[in-house]
Amino acid sequence: MAGENQRPTVFIDGEAGTTGLGIRARLERDRRVALRSLPAESRKDPGTKRALLAEVDLVVLCLPDAAARETVALADELPGGGPRILDASTAHRVSPGWTYGFAEMTRGQGRAIASARRVANPGCYPTGAIALLRPLVEGGLIPADFAISINAVSGYSGGGKGMIGAYEAGTGAAFLLYGLGFGHKHLPETQAYSGLTRRPIFIPSVGGFRQGMLVSIPLHLDALPGCPEAADLETALLAWYDGQPLVQVVPGAAAGAHAEQIEPEALNDTDRLELRVFGSAEHRQAVLVARLDNLGKGASGAAVQNIGLMLGIGS
């Protein structure tokens, strides 16, 4: 199926949305793949879409969940199951037969993504929460059944067209909490891939800035097995992500070298993820913090990384 000049071909289904536009812009700059599109008037025609699916190497789904499932069903009807699929919706993130597309989550995850036919791109909030929790749960520093609370703030660009329009018109709230029904759609993947057996409390929020994200998890150190120091948590994170170019653990917990504040926009327009452990030896408390661009490592950047792995053209 390789397209022009033998470059692999990619179809972004839903390329007019925020994530789709971000993926397209990155791939156009990269030029290692040939992009295919449908005319605007044919984007919802199943027959036209099925014909294009039969011609491309990979399809990226930037659609609402129901529409993503419809496109997957079309692909399943094709010989051999159709093209490889990267789904940026929440439809398949905990579904059997789908590989979770967080390459740095475990040592073998990048290889699993590279060989998978169906990959689910992670959510932005779960990327930060799982990055902080998975190493500590697997390392026994946090029990799987521990009561975890996750707080997070994102720029308004992750809220869809309605929210983006409100903020761009100057009518969006300076700050708001949401997900207060305790059923946010990112909870299933956060629990599944962090290794937690107890459902965490997750309270997200939106600030009056376009993009950028902080995810924070407070901990009472004396409530953890062995009463670790904040530096022990940091050491575990440093070892887990050693050699990962896109994930940086910023040291400072042992020496108390971190500043007492952190802002969410410093990694905007990058595909990086920063992790920190803030701790108080006096009060025996710590807070784990992840910083990322919700449009970068939290969405389009992660998708392009996964596309590179799936097509064997690098990350």
Side-chain angles (χ1 to χ4, degrees):
M1 293 184 208
E4 70 180 75
N5 300 323
Q6 300 304 306
R7 290 183 293 168
T9 51
V10 174
F11 164 43
I12 305 170
D13 193 3
E15 64 180 16
T18 303
T19 299
L21 288 169
I23 294 169
R24 185 176 185 90
R26 283 169 164 82
L27 293 178
E28 285 176 338
R29 291 194 299 267
D30 187 277
R31 300 190 60 80
R32 288 181 294 172
V33 303
L35 292 170
R36 301 286 304 277
S37 296
L38 287 173
E41 64 274 12
S42 302
R43 288 175 183 167
K44 295 185 179 181
D45 177 62
T48 305
K49 183 181 290 188
R50 186 185 294 110
L52 181 55
L53 292 174
E55 297 175 358
V56 299
D57 295 295
L58 185 146
V59 59
V60 184
L61 307 180
C62 300
L63 301 166
D65 287 6
R69 294 187 183 99
E70 291 172 1
T71 298
V72 171
L74 289 175
D76 286 343
E77 295 172 358
L78 296 170
R84 300 175 80 179
I85 298 176
L86 175 63
D87 185 5
S89 80
T90 61
H92 299 103
R93 288 179 183 161
V94 293
S95 297
W98 287 75
T99 298
Y100 195 60
F102 184 8
E104 297 86 3
M105 183 175 72
T106 65
R107 286 295 177 185
Q109 197 67 17
R111 293 190 297 275
I113 293 166
S115 62
R117 291 195 52 79
R118 302 287 188 265
V119 175
N121 212 53
C124 50
Y125 291 124
T127 295
I130 293 165
L132 292 167
L133 289 169
R134 179 69 175 254
L136 304 180
V137 172
E138 286 209 13
L141 289 162
I142 294 178
D145 64 351
F146 199 69
I148 290 289
S149 295
I150 303 167
N151 304 297
V153 60
S154 174
Y156 61 77
S157 56
K161 291 182 179 179
M163 180 175 286
I164 293 170
Y167 275 96
E168 291 182 345
T171 59
F175 181 85
L176 60 88
L177 290 177
Y178 67 105
L180 295 172
F182 301 94
H184 192 278
K185 64 181 181 179
H186 285 170
L187 268 165
E189 65 185 287
T190 300
Q191 180 177 354
Y193 297 112
S194 64
L196 295 172
T197 57
R198 176 184 290 191
R199 182 183 178 89
I201 295 174
F202 171 50
I203 303 298
S205 59
V206 173
F209 51 95
R210 184 175 187 274
Q211 64 197 83
M213 173 170 286
L214 295 173
V215 179
S216 60
I217 301 171
L219 296 169
H220 289 277
L221 296 173
D222 289 343
L224 297 174
C227 300
E229 303 292 334
D232 297 324
L233 309 181
E234 183 181 278
T235 297
L237 293 175
L238 282 164
W240 190 272
Y241 296 108
D242 182 46
Q244 297 288 357
L246 293 179
V247 181
Q248 179 189 12
V249 180
V250 181
H258 289 317
E260 294 190 2
Q261 59 187 24
I262 185 170
E263 56 89 16
E265 298 178 273
L267 296 183
N268 284 4
D269 301 316
T270 80
D271 297 333
R272 293 164 48 211
L273 169 63
E274 285 182 353
L275 308 178
R276 286 174 170 80
V277 180
F278 296 84
S280 168
E282 177 186 0
H283 301 296
R284 301 290 300 147
Q285 295 173 326
V287 61
L288 314 174
V289 180
R291 174 162 61 184
L292 64 157
D293 181 354
N294 60 292
L295 299 182
K297 186 62 171 166
S300 303
V304 171
Q305 181 183 9
N306 287 324
I307 290 167
L309 290 166
M310 295 175 76
L311 296 178
I313 56 175
S315 59

